[in-house]
Amino acid sequence: MAQNIEDKICKLRDEIRRNDVLYYVQNAPQLSDQQYDALFAELKQLEQEHPELITPDSPTQRVSERPVDGFETVAHSIPMLSIDNTYNEAELRKFDERVAKGLESAGYDYTVEPKIDGLAVSLRYEKGRLVRAATRGDGSRGDDVTGNIRTIGAIPLTLESEDIPDILEVRGEVYMPKKAFTKLNQLRTDAGEPEFANPRNAAAGSLKLLDARITATRKLAFFAYSVGQASTPLAQTHYEALGKLKRFGLPVNTATKAKDIDKVIAMCHLQEKTKDSLDYQIDGMVIKVNRYDQHDLLGTTGRAPKWCIAYKFAAEQAETILESITVQVGKNGTLTPVANLKPVQLAGTTVKRATLHNFDQLARLDVRCGDTVIIEKAGEIIPQVVEVIIKKRDLFESQPFEIPTACPACGGQVQKDEDGVYLRCVNPNCTAQLKERLEYFVGKGQMNIDKLGPALIEQLVETKLVKTFADIYTLRFDQLAQLQNPPALAIRRGPRHSQCRRPVRPDPGR
Ligand code: IVH
């Protein structure tokens, strides 16, 4: 009987793993979500009845129920290097000339892959089992994020194949698909929490959470793109190695072989044109010499290999109308002009605001309300206004923006800082500064106070219930209940456990 149950559990696990690979790696699911969930529920039920049969690599054991205090740092067996960047065709050709010279004109070819905009991780498999996952960190040492990595459904806990090296380090990029990013930011806005600036920050923030149960809800995904330590060589070329990783059950992005630099350049241009149709953000292409023996011949420069280069896409631009300029007061009193824009699509997101950095920049560009402006996202960070289209300006209506002579929030005195670039409010009792300081203080990296977001801080400061950090700790239930928009004051009955189903299955778009 016991043997029967054990067999049944093994079969269910294999079936779930097989379907994970079909779903995440082959992009060819054979089961509906319902059928998959039914398999999962059956396995969970059997494991609950026979807890002695639970193994750490069971698909039900992805999410740890206990948060960690912090991450240990771990040494990488082989350093995780970064890549040098190029921004145009001429620089790509120069790279090719260096490769040709380094290889003394021996024949060589390239692989061309999308450059995923996420964060690099190294996954260590021993005898096919995932034993450790670490971030890149400084390249020599990274954070041990195994618990969080295990929640990513696209990352197999066990590899399936006969010829897996006993030790295999798989390197790749953890990313957040665009749809998941938009949804997450919507949830954060609704909860009064600050939005993530881009999918990369969202992926990094989600992978560095101390509570893996939250990471599991963040719908992270993964692409493998190279091999670190391997106890037996996987292949003789990078292209072949990618094929093997895919066969082992890891998600691998499309890589194209290119026989020369002309083909590489054509691939880069083609992908640049079509990148917005992808469900994930890419910020360029990665070009690698294909043969491993040629990697060794070319070597590295210390921080980056000479056999690899990134081609970064040009910063994306869009034209829109600047509707107004708001002056934000930072936590140290710095006044920053922010452009409020007619919403416009840029690099896959709707942009409503752009930074103008400081008042010198504003004066240099001579930006005025009502202007038609060009905005740019360089590296997909916060967009900035880079140009005003003067010929579209209404010369009769347009007025230069007046640089504030007092703090727009408290009316306090303002001063230029020492190097004369930034304007600061010097009123120590400025409520705008207090709100910013409080937001920082309660944030994730600091006190990490759950549910105390900007909307609640706003009310607490305006009603003068909070004037200092210390006031947060003496707030009473009745004071909070009397606020115009009181927070949810339900009494917690212990942590809510997320249902243990396939944790981060991205929307298959059905
Ligand atoms: S190869 C030694 N391939 O880009 C080369 N990197 O800007 C190892 N990245 O740190 C990296 N997509 O995090 C490689 N297809 C790809 C990539 C890729 C994204 C990231 C990676 C790297 C960064 C450098």
Side-chain angles (χ1 to χ4, degrees):
M1 177 65 183
Q3 188 56 44
N4 274 351
I5 305 265
E6 202 168 344
D7 285 350
K8 175 97 192 145
I9 285 181
C10 279
K11 277 206 186 105
L12 279 168
R13 286 178 188 158
D14 285 348
E15 190 58 5
I16 289 170
R17 286 183 193 126
R18 197 179 65 81
N19 277 283
D20 280 343
V21 172
L22 283 168
Y23 183 90
Y24 292 113
V25 183
Q26 320 283 1
N27 244 330
Q30 284 176 356
L31 298 181
S32 67
D33 280 5
Q34 227 175 355
Q35 289 168 316
Y36 180 92
D37 289 349
L39 284 182
F40 207 98
E42 193 180 347
L43 175 61
K44 249 198 129 192
Q45 178 70 31
L46 286 175
E47 287 183 342
Q48 246 161 28
E49 287 162 11
H50 302 274
E52 72 284 1
L53 297 178
I54 298 178
T55 55
D57 62 355
S58 169
T60 61
Q61 301 301 303
R62 281 188 176 271
V63 187
S64 150
E65 299 292 325
R66 234 175 302 123
V68 292
D69 294 330
F71 300 112
E72 309 252 309
T73 64
V74 284
H76 297 301
S77 52
I78 295 176
M80 289 183 79
L81 300 176
S82 69
I83 321 178
D84 286 333
N85 290 327
T86 58
Y87 295 90
N88 54 46
E89 232 180 275
E91 288 173 0
L92 276 177
R93 290 192 188 279
K94 277 205 187 116
F95 162 73
D96 183 52
E97 280 163 23
R98 288 194 300 272
V99 170
K101 200 165 161 216
L103 296 177
E104 295 171 342
S105 305
Y108 60 92
D109 65 345
Y110 293 110
T111 58
V112 190
E113 303 156 29
K115 185 171 181 305
I116 315 294
D117 204 9
L119 85 158
V121 293
S122 184
L123 312 176
R124 187 177 174 90
Y125 288 90
E126 285 178 5
K127 298 209 183 318
R129 300 220 155 141
L130 177 67
V131 293
R132 203 178 66 201
T135 59
R136 178 170 178 272
D138 65 5
S140 308
R141 297 184 73 84
D143 285 337
D144 183 336
V145 286
T146 314
N148 287 349
I149 284 288
R150 285 173 62 91
T151 70
I152 302 176
I155 296 181
L157 300 179
T158 52
L159 300 179
E160 305 293 335
S161 180
E162 303 280 278
D163 52 343
I164 299 161
D166 277 355
I167 295 172
L168 176 65
E169 272 181 15
V170 178
R171 289 173 175 180
E173 201 85 347
V174 167
Y175 66 94
M176 184 173 285
K178 285 180 192 166
K179 263 192 215 155
F181 170 72
T182 313
K183 244 188 212 161
L184 173 63
N185 265 352
Q186 188 55 54
L187 286 174
R188 288 174 73 86
T189 312
D190 294 348
E193 292 170 16
E195 292 183 12
F196 283 111
N198 53 50
R200 177 169 21 97
N201 289 2
S206 303
L207 198 62
K208 294 286 190 70
L209 289 166
L210 297 176
D211 190 342
R213 288 169 298 182
I214 307 177
T215 309
T217 66
R218 293 285 173 89
K219 297 194 187 293
L220 295 173
F222 175 76
F223 277 127
Y225 56 60
S226 74
V227 178
Q229 191 189 355
S231 51
T232 45
L234 219 55
Q236 292 183 339
T237 67
H238 174 63
Y239 191 80
E240 257 180 273
L242 291 180
K244 276 218 170 163
L245 293 178
K246 189 163 181 176
R247 194 154 58 67
F248 294 166
L250 287 145
V252 175
N253 207 349
T254 42
T256 312
K257 273 207 264 190
K259 66 176 188 343
D260 56 31
I261 200 70
D262 288 330
K263 178 89 191 291
V264 166
I265 290 167
M267 284 301 308
C268 290
H269 289 326
L270 181 69
Q271 191 70 266
E272 188 159 12
K273 273 195 209 124
T274 54
K275 72 179 169 42
D276 287 345
S277 64
L278 297 172
D279 179 38
Y280 45 87
Q281 194 152 295
I282 63 173
D283 60 343
M285 301 297 280
V286 181
I287 297 109
K288 298 169 187 166
V289 169
N290 195 18
R291 272 169 50 184
Y292 284 152
D293 60 332
Q294 295 181 330
H295 291 194
D296 298 338
L297 280 174
L298 289 163
T300 67
T301 57
R303 62 173 284 279
K306 293 188 197 167
W307 44 264
C308 178
I309 202 95
Y311 168 75
K312 296 287 287 271
F313 295 147
E316 293 207 46
Q317 295 193 330
E319 186 181 305
T320 187
I321 309 284
L322 185 150
E323 293 178 331
S324 62
I325 295 173
T326 326
V327 178
Q328 281 181 355
V329 186
K331 64 178 186 299
N332 299 319
T334 310
L335 306 191
T336 308
V338 175
N340 300 307
L341 308 166
K342 184 167 173 224
V344 62
Q345 279 297 115
L346 179 61
T349 52
T350 310
V351 175
K352 292 181 238 157
R353 277 187 304 271
T355 178
L356 289 159
H357 297 294
N358 55 56
F359 292 98
D360 283 357
Q361 169 82 350
L362 188 149
R364 212 174 304 126
L365 292 169
D366 184 23
V367 240
R368 304 179 184 188
C369 296
D371 273 348
T372 303
V373 292
I374 303 285
I375 57 164
E376 183 175 290
K377 260 191 187 179
E380 320 292 345
I381 318 178
I382 304 165
Q384 49 181 327
V385 175
V386 288
E387 195 187 325
V388 174
I389 304 184
I390 300 282
K391 64 174 191 272
K392 293 199 178 175
R393 177 178 280 171
D394 180 340
L395 293 173
F396 296 104
E397 288 287 317
S398 173
Q399 293 294 327
F401 185 76
E402 280 184 30
I403 296 176
T405 49
C407 172
C410 70
Q413 201 192 340
V414 294
Q415 269 174 17
K416 273 231 162 166
D417 67 357
E418 277 151 31
D419 43 19
V421 177
Y422 292 99
L423 209 55
R424 252 180 247 287
C425 163
V426 292
N427 172 12
N429 300 317
C430 172
T431 52
Q433 287 181 53
L434 175 62
K435 286 175 204 165
E436 292 290 325
R437 277 202 288 270
L438 285 166
E439 273 183 41
Y440 176 76
F441 179 74
V442 304
K444 288 268 174 331
Q446 292 67 244
M447 296 300 115
N448 197 8
I449 304 179
D450 213 11
K451 304 274 187 285
L452 188 44
L456 184 52
I457 288 177
E458 168 82 24
Q459 295 186 78
L460 294 172
V461 172
E462 289 305 324
T463 52
K464 301 205 167 34
L465 282 174
V466 170
K467 292 191 196 122
T468 65
F469 295 158
D471 292 344
I472 296 174
Y473 297 93
T474 52
L475 283 169
R476 294 189 316 271
F477 190 93
D478 61 304
Q479 289 174 316
L480 291 173
Q482 274 163 23
L483 292 172
Q484 206 164 17
N485 292 307
L489 291 169
I491 296 161
R492 283 258 194 98
R493 289 194 183 80
R496 278 222 324 258
H497 298 269
S498 57
Q499 231 194 335
C500 198
R501 62 192 295 278
R502 194 170 350 198
V504 284
R505 188 170 183 165
D507 186 344
R510 274 177 283 183

